[in-house]
Amino acid sequence: MNTNALNIKDLFSKIEVSLRNPKSKESLDLLKLLYKITVNYKTRDLTSLKLKTVNIEKLSKLIIDINTPFKIKLLLISIISKISNVEPQILTIKNLKTYEPKQLAILLSLLLSTCTHTPLFLESTPLIIQSLVTQDQILRSVSFPSALIHVRQYTDSLTNSQIKPIETQLVQFLLHASLVSDQKQSTGFFKIGNTTTAVPVTELDGSVTIEFFTVLNNSMVYTEDQIFNIYSFSMLYTWLTNLYKPGLIASDTSEEGTQRVMNSTFLNTIVSYCLRIIDQSKLKPNPYDGGSGRNDVYDNLPVTALLESVRILDYLCRLDSNLIAKIFPTVQKAYQLHLPSSRTTNENSGYVLLALLQFFLNHSHTLVYDPEPLFKAYFQTYLPRTFTNSFVAFETLNFCLKNQEVILKNTNVFNLYFPPIFKCLAWFPHSFYMEFQELFPSFISPNTFIEVFHLLLDLPLLTLSMESSLIEQKRYSNVVNAQNASNQSSFSSYPQLFEPSASEFAVEATWSEFRVLYNYLLRNESGVNINFWSSTTLPLLYQLCKKSPITPRCYGSCELVSPLLDIYFDVLLEYGDRSIFVQLLPVLLERFDQIFPFEIYQKKIKENLIEKVLTIFKAYPNLIISEKDLIISVISEGRLMIKDSLTLTLCWIIGEYTSTFVGTQVTAEVFSDYYEALELLTYERINSIKMDAVSGSSSSSLTTANNIQSSNVNIFTSSLSIVDTPQNQYNITLMLILIGSLTKLSSRWPDATSRVILCLLKVISYHQYFDSQVIQRANECISLLKFPSFAAAIYNGEPHYNSSFYIESISKDSQTSLSFLFPSSSNIDNNNSNSQLQNQNANSSNSGSIHPYILK
């Protein structure tokens, strides 16, 4: 049947006729077709689909008809809930009170599916409470979800007089369920076994229950009160968290003006029930369970029930701190049962372990209990073995985010155990970046910022190491098993659902040729500030990178490093001081050429680091004094490089910030050292370009050169035909920066003026080897230096770091001397866009998630 061509009016007419015999197959098929249409209407928002109110009322009446089959009633409820925008008339409070329990149960289901956000649902509160405390099983079952919706949506409207009977009934369900199985045959979900004989309820280990029934007890066929016991336990956490708020129990008032105080009987019942579940969870489940097979169906039930119990007890202790002394010892026993260091602990234990950590974190201060060993066991032992499980990784990050402030204030978790948390991101780079980005500032402290920087730059290498070690682990396991099946290695004896991760295996895998790298990269605790790129293991690092391909996971890690670097430097610039950057700058400059060997990644990270170097010197220009030897050393090493953007940046920084206005420590010796470094670099670059041009090996050699005499300037160059290559552009940019920086130094230190002019004349004398911009810039600077007062006025003023004029006019003209004064040379600006862009980027700030407790 074509639903698109079918008229809804005709369809309903057919349904109306067929429902005269609601048990017919035709009526069921037509209702199924109408249901499919309503689903399509709901998802595609087809406003043309409309049913008259009278038609909806006809369908509603069929719901309470005793001759209508149960399946038809369910279909009708689903259809009405999707297409009805008004309350069916049969759902008025006056009508609801007149129906028998069986009919009322169906109508409450209709009310639950259509009217939860209407005044009618709020008016039905007394009826729902009455249905919940009644003896009718079906009516009770429907009333449970309705009561929970009331608690969630209309908390303030519930009075103590309405809450008390429900809690009294919950106490009855929780403590007084039957301890024998149902003698009637059951075909529902809660049927276990096939016997009709009453059998005692048993514990997880098969022993007969002597205490009250809980969700962890086994029953061959569940009785009604046992089912309601399970219902009651499942709704406790929602009931408590919505009705009772920490610190407001004694003062929170309802609409009647009376205080909302939890009944002591109800409170004690919940505590007893939860403590009993914790005790039951210690029992070893019976693998046979009388042949029922229940252990296979409910394999995770003890863990789930224990998790819920710990959550409930944690909330109760937040409501009433007097309970902590009673509950704390039992919770400690539960933790001993799920020790993270235990080999039997698997991914499913993550639920309970995090709930237990939450409990200890919330209440350990009350009993002066140190939770540090618990955190150590989780982050140093459990997480490194299970981080490949997406649930464990996500819940760990979520736990850290939820308790970020408390953990920062009261523990050293983030300082000590950020390496295993990094593994969660390295293994799931596409899934958990947003959570990690918010958490990342918490790892940065005065004691860890260097190690965090190394680990961040090596994030792709960390991913590569985890993947590589897991591959080697499986390969080695297969070899061992083939040689001696009876003598398996320790990691192959783990449960199938729990494979040891690369981090744990790295410590034990003495067979691996990369074990030194694995032990470093896959460590589980901070405190290692070694730069392996500068150690004797560098060949091994390159061997590992060459051996392992770039996987999608590794590529995803590469994409995350740059935005995380932005957050990292935002934190340091906002909360750090000058001493932080005195320590960081040597590491940053050292790591500039020690980056994971993936060309796209290297290019992006180097650009990012250049921006950060400029930003650091703008924030702390006096670093030009204390880091003089470091800067000169890097520039000297850069002379040997064919193309080095770091040398460009540092040469520009020398010219920009070497000034007496930066600090009185900028003496003649400082000027002299920087000048000699720049002068030596300039002469070496002149010779290098000349030799490349003569030998024909330089791609930037000139094709033509003509000299033109002028009355004011002795030497000029004509327009030259230049091969536009990256190396040629680099040579041009470097020469422009060197000329500009030498001129700036000379304007601030007159003793160097003659030597600078001589150096620039040397550049001009080899005009045939340089681009016309370089020669023009050299001539401009010579002209300027002939008038020292003008040069000093331009370059020897106090930098206005917060002035837009300084940033956009003078500082922007970072490689020129006169272009902002002489319009004739303004065309040169276009050829210096690379350096201008770097300077502008230094003035920009990236937004990041900054935590107020970082570096305080």
Side-chain angles (χ1 to χ4, degrees):
M1 187 177 297
N2 188 350
T3 59
N4 294 327
L6 186 63
N7 186 285
I8 188 65
K9 186 176 180 181
D10 296 339
L11 174 62
F12 190 81
S13 299
K14 293 181 180 181
I15 292 175
E16 190 175 5
V17 174
S18 66
L19 286 177
R20 294 173 183 173
N21 181 16
K23 298 182 180 180
S24 65
K25 185 176 183 300
E26 181 185 5
S27 62
L28 181 61
D29 292 339
L30 288 173
L31 284 174
K32 286 181 178 179
L33 178 60
L34 179 60
Y35 176 75
K36 292 178 181 178
I37 294 174
T38 58
V39 172
N40 185 67
Y41 155 72
K42 202 69 177 176
T43 55
R44 298 188 184 181
D45 194 24
L46 303 178
T47 55
S48 59
L49 178 59
K50 294 181 180 179
L51 280 180
K52 295 181 179 179
T53 305
V54 63
N55 294 332
I56 295 177
E57 292 300 328
K58 289 180 180 179
L59 295 178
S60 302
K61 290 179 180 179
L62 285 171
I63 294 176
I64 59 175
D65 191 340
I66 58 174
N67 295 320
T68 305
F70 187 70
K71 289 184 178 180
I72 299 294
K73 291 181 179 180
L74 293 181
L75 266 177
L76 291 172
I77 291 174
S78 300
I79 291 170
I80 294 174
S81 66
K82 294 184 183 304
I83 63 176
S84 176
N85 295 324
V86 296
E87 302 169 359
Q89 293 182 0
I90 61 171
L91 292 182
T92 60
I93 296 298
K94 182 178 180 181
N95 289 337
L96 287 174
K97 293 180 179 180
T98 62
Y99 292 106
E100 297 179 354
K102 291 185 178 180
Q103 295 174 319
L104 181 59
I106 293 293
L107 291 177
L108 286 179
S109 299
L110 180 61
L111 178 70
L112 188 64
S113 61
T114 59
C115 306
T116 55
H117 296 283
T118 64
L120 175 62
F121 191 78
L122 185 58
E123 294 173 7
S124 65
T125 302
L127 182 61
I128 291 175
I129 295 174
Q130 180 182 352
S131 302
L132 191 62
V133 299
T134 187
Q135 297 300 316
D136 187 273
Q137 179 188 8
I138 299 178
L139 203 55
R140 280 181 179 176
S141 302
V142 176
S143 302
F144 266 99
S146 300
L148 281 182
I149 291 179
H150 269 282
V151 170
R152 286 174 179 157
Q153 297 183 4
Y154 308 105
T155 304
D156 295 335
S157 65
L158 290 173
T159 63
N160 284 339
S161 60
Q162 294 172 329
I163 294 173
K164 184 176 180 180
I166 298 178
E167 292 183 347
T168 302
Q169 186 64 57
L170 291 178
V171 170
Q172 182 70 23
F173 289 150
L174 290 171
L175 290 183
H176 302 289
S178 174
L179 292 180
V180 294
S181 62
D182 197 348
Q183 299 183 30
K184 298 182 294 182
Q185 187 68 265
S186 173
T187 58
F189 175 78
F190 291 98
K191 174 193 173 183
I192 300 296
N194 298 314
T195 180
T196 58
T197 305
V199 228
V201 170
T202 61
E203 301 289 351
L204 288 174
D205 59 356
S207 60
V208 177
T209 300
I210 59 175
E211 297 186 51
F212 58 88
F213 179 89
T214 72
V215 67
L216 291 184
N217 285 119
N218 300 331
S219 180
M220 298 298 287
V221 180
Y222 284 84
T223 61
E224 293 178 2
D225 56 355
Q226 290 169 355
I227 294 173
F228 286 119
N229 178 285
I230 298 172
Y231 282 169
S232 301
F233 176 66
S234 66
M235 69 176 283
L236 279 180
Y237 188 77
T238 302
W239 182 270
L240 294 172
T241 54
N242 283 278
L243 282 181
Y244 305 100
K245 303 300 180 181
L248 299 177
I249 299 180
S251 59
D252 189 15
T253 57
S254 63
E255 290 182 351
E256 291 182 349
T258 58
Q259 291 183 342
R260 179 173 294 171
V261 180
M262 187 184 301
N263 183 280
S264 60
T265 304
F266 182 56
L267 176 63
N268 293 331
T269 298
I270 297 174
V271 172
S272 300
Y273 193 98
C274 293
L275 291 179
R276 170 151 162 71
I277 286 182
I278 294 177
D279 290 333
Q280 286 179 297
S281 65
K282 303 172 188 176
L283 301 174
K284 186 177 181 180
N286 185 355
Y288 301 102
D289 197 24
S292 65
R294 183 183 190 277
N295 194 57
D296 296 333
V297 179
Y298 297 93
D299 184 42
N300 295 326
L301 181 60
V303 173
T304 306
L306 179 58
L307 168 67
E308 189 71 4
S309 298
V310 173
R311 292 172 66 216
I312 292 172
L313 291 175
D314 177 41
Y315 195 76
L316 289 178
C317 288
R318 291 171 60 193
L319 295 176
D320 184 3
S321 60
N322 295 324
L323 293 172
I324 298 177
K326 177 182 179 181
I327 293 172
F328 202 85
T330 306
V331 176
Q332 277 186 296
K333 293 178 182 178
Y335 179 81
Q336 295 296 326
L337 179 68
H338 291 270
L339 277 176
S341 58
S342 173
R343 291 291 186 181
T344 60
T345 304
N346 56 29
E347 287 91 338
N348 296 328
S349 301
Y351 295 85
V352 179
L353 287 172
L354 288 173
L356 291 169
L357 285 178
Q358 185 68 64
F359 182 92
F360 292 127
L361 190 65
N362 289 342
H363 310 296
S364 58
H365 62 280
T366 304
L367 298 178
V368 195
Y369 179 82
D370 183 13
E372 286 289 344
L374 310 182
F375 286 112
K376 179 179 180 180
Y378 182 85
F379 286 98
Q380 198 174 26
T381 305
Y382 178 76
L383 182 59
R385 300 207 316 256
T386 56
F387 67 86
T388 55
N389 181 278
S390 58
F391 167 80
V392 173
F394 174 76
E395 288 300 323
T396 300
L397 292 173
N398 192 46
F399 171 82
C400 292
L401 281 175
K402 180 181 177 181
N403 302 282
Q404 188 174 15
E405 183 175 339
V406 178
I407 292 175
L408 278 170
K409 284 183 176 180
N410 302 329
T411 73
N412 289 321
V413 169
F414 292 147
N415 285 343
L416 292 175
Y417 307 118
F418 63 83
I421 300 177
F422 259 89
K423 295 176 188 176
C424 298
L425 176 68
W427 194 257
F428 299 101
H430 300 288
S431 303
F432 300 144
Y433 171 69
M434 296 306 296
E435 290 80 7
F436 188 88
Q437 175 185 248
E438 188 175 348
L439 187 63
F440 179 58
S442 301
F443 304 150
I444 307 170
S445 72
N447 297 325
T448 63
F449 70 99
I450 296 292
E451 186 175 356
V452 170
F453 181 71
H454 283 304
L455 190 55
L456 183 56
L457 289 182
D458 291 334
L459 185 64
L461 186 60
L462 175 60
T463 302
L464 199 71
S465 300
M466 291 191 294
E467 293 180 326
S468 176
S469 64
L470 284 175
I471 293 173
E472 292 186 20
Q473 164 201 331
K474 293 178 181 179
R475 184 184 298 118
Y476 184 74
S477 177
N478 293 335
V479 171
V480 172
N481 291 335
Q483 291 177 350
N484 189 355
S486 62
N487 185 22
Q488 296 182 352
S489 60
S490 60
F491 56 85
S492 63
S493 62
Y494 288 0
Q496 291 183 354
L497 292 177
F498 177 55
E499 287 189 2
S501 71
S503 53
E504 181 190 8
F505 191 75
V507 178
E508 301 176 357
T510 56
W511 47 267
S512 175
E513 60 179 319
F514 302 113
R515 63 183 180 276
V516 176
L517 294 180
Y518 292 159
N519 288 339
Y520 165 70
L521 291 168
L522 305 175
R523 63 193 183 278
N524 300 321
E525 189 173 357
S526 65
V528 182
N529 286 324
I530 300 174
N531 179 13
F532 262 54
W533 294 90
S534 299
S535 65
T536 56
T537 58
L538 184 59
L540 197 61
L541 270 173
Y542 281 112
Q543 184 182 347
L544 174 63
C545 296
K546 184 178 180 180
K547 177 182 177 181
S548 307
I550 302 296
T551 62
R553 181 181 282 118
C554 186
Y555 187 82
S557 297
C558 291
E559 291 180 322
L560 303 184
V561 176
S562 186
L564 289 175
L565 275 175
D566 293 340
I567 298 175
Y568 175 83
F569 281 98
D570 284 344
V571 172
L572 293 183
L573 288 168
E574 182 169 350
Y575 296 99
D577 54 22
R578 183 179 177 276
S579 63
I580 293 292
F581 295 100
V582 169
Q583 300 176 59
L584 179 62
L585 195 59
V587 178
L588 190 156
L589 299 181
E590 180 185 31
R591 287 301 307 267
F592 190 80
D593 290 317
Q594 298 172 350
I595 303 175
F596 179 70
F598 181 44
E599 185 176 356
I600 299 175
Y601 175 70
Q602 287 183 334
K603 180 181 178 181
K604 191 170 185 179
I605 296 305
K606 286 184 178 181
E607 291 175 354
N608 192 301
L609 292 179
I610 288 295
E611 294 178 7
K612 300 306 179 288
V613 170
L614 291 169
T615 305
I616 290 171
F617 274 93
K618 181 184 175 183
Y620 300 97
N622 56 0
L623 288 173
I624 200 73
I625 304 168
S626 60
E627 303 306 309
K628 181 192 66 174
D629 294 339
L630 173 66
I631 295 172
I632 292 176
S633 173
V634 174
I635 291 177
S636 300
E637 293 175 0
R639 298 202 305 265
L640 305 177
M641 307 290 289
I642 297 177
K643 182 181 178 183
D644 181 19
S645 56
L646 184 59
T647 301
L648 293 177
T649 304
L650 293 178
C651 289
W652 180 87
I653 288 173
I654 291 173
E656 186 74 6
Y657 297 112
T658 306
S659 170
T660 54
F661 286 98
V662 170
T664 57
Q665 298 89 348
V666 181
T667 61
E669 181 183 357
V670 175
F671 278 113
S672 176
D673 290 343
Y674 277 130
Y675 170 75
E676 289 177 359
L678 294 180
E679 183 186 48
L680 180 59
L681 180 59
T682 303
Y683 281 125
E684 288 189 353
R685 185 56 56 176
I686 291 173
N687 292 332
S688 174
I689 294 175
K690 176 184 175 182
M691 291 177 63
D692 290 342
V694 171
S695 63
S697 62
S698 175
S699 62
S700 61
S701 59
L702 304 178
T703 57
T704 60
N706 296 314
N707 297 335
I708 301 176
Q709 285 293 112
S710 175
S711 58
N712 296 323
V713 182
N714 294 327
I715 302 175
F716 283 92
T717 55
S718 64
S719 59
L720 302 174
S721 176
I722 300 174
V723 180
D724 190 10
T725 63
Q727 183 59 42
N728 182 69
Q729 291 299 320
Y730 173 79
N731 289 334
I732 294 174
T733 304
L734 177 59
M735 291 305 300
L736 291 174
I737 291 176
L738 287 171
I739 292 171
S741 294
L742 286 170
T743 304
K744 293 175 183 178
L745 289 180
S746 177
S747 67
R748 300 162 189 164
W749 187 45
D751 293 350
T753 301
S754 59
R755 294 178 64 182
V756 170
I757 293 176
L758 181 62
C759 181
L760 298 182
L761 288 174
K762 184 73 171 180
V763 173
I764 295 173
S765 66
Y766 288 100
H767 60 88
Q768 67 270 29
Y769 304 118
F770 292 101
D771 185 81
S772 59
Q773 318 172 55
V774 177
I775 304 304
Q776 183 175 353
R777 184 65 50 79
N779 278 295
E780 290 178 345
C781 289
I782 291 174
S783 300
L784 179 63
L785 291 176
K786 290 179 179 179
F787 302 94
S789 58
F790 285 115
I794 294 173
Y795 288 123
N796 200 24
E798 181 178 3
H800 301 285
Y801 298 110
N802 296 323
S803 169
S804 60
F805 170 78
Y806 175 78
I807 295 173
E808 297 176 4
S809 298
I810 299 179
S811 182
K812 182 177 179 180
D813 184 44
S814 55
Q815 293 90 40
T816 186
S817 56
L818 300 176
S819 62
F820 73 99
L821 297 177
F822 293 92
S824 60
S825 59
S826 60
N827 60 326
I828 302 177
D829 288 346
N830 295 328
N831 297 298
N832 304 323
S833 58
N834 183 38
S835 297
Q836 293 175 12
L837 179 60
Q838 291 177 357
N839 186 57
Q840 291 172 346
N841 288 335
N843 300 324
S844 64
S845 60
N846 297 300
S847 60
S849 178
I850 309 301
H851 197 280
Y853 295 94
I854 306 298
L855 299 175
K856 283 294 179 80

